[in-house]
Amino acid sequence: ATLSRESDSGKVILFTTPTCPNCPEAKRVMEIVEGVEVVNAQENMELAEKFGIRSVPTVVKLSGTNRDIYTGLSQIKEFVSKN
């Protein structure tokens, strides 16, 4: 997964891992959000490090130079309810 600066704005990324117990539910919750890119943090460690991902599931929403980070299932559900 590579992100180009021009197209980053408005992008929503869901970081998961295959062994994460809450990631399947996070993927289901995020299905209603358009254009979500699901990224395996173990296979894309450089990208995960770029965004400071420490645990999964984590959602990163990019808007201009800002980034909003939602970690854990409860924060992800809160993000979905507001978007």
Side-chain angles (χ1 to χ4, degrees):
T2 58
L3 299 174
S4 63
R5 296 216 177 266
E6 296 81 37
S7 63
D8 282 359
S9 189
K11 186 171 283 233
V12 177
I13 308 165
L14 171 60
F15 286 91
T16 65
T17 62
T19 56
C20 159
N22 290 319
C23 288
E25 186 174 351
K27 287 179 187 176
R28 282 192 299 277
V29 167
M30 290 295 291
E31 282 176 357
I32 65 167
V33 179
E34 274 190 49
V36 174
E37 182 178 348
V38 178
V39 174
N40 180 331
Q42 291 174 328
E43 293 175 357
N44 296 281
M45 293 187 86
E46 190 175 302
L47 188 61
E49 286 176 16
K50 174 183 172 183
F51 291 111
I53 305 303
R54 301 262 182 261
S55 64
V56 290
T58 295
V59 167
V60 176
K61 180 180 180 187
L62 304 173
S63 50
T65 57
N66 297 330
R67 63 175 73 156
D68 296 319
I69 297 179
Y70 305 85
T71 303
L73 195 52
S74 61
Q75 282 191 16
I76 290 171
K77 286 179 178 179
E78 189 177 319
F79 164 77
V80 169
S81 72
K82 292 179 179 178
N83 289 279

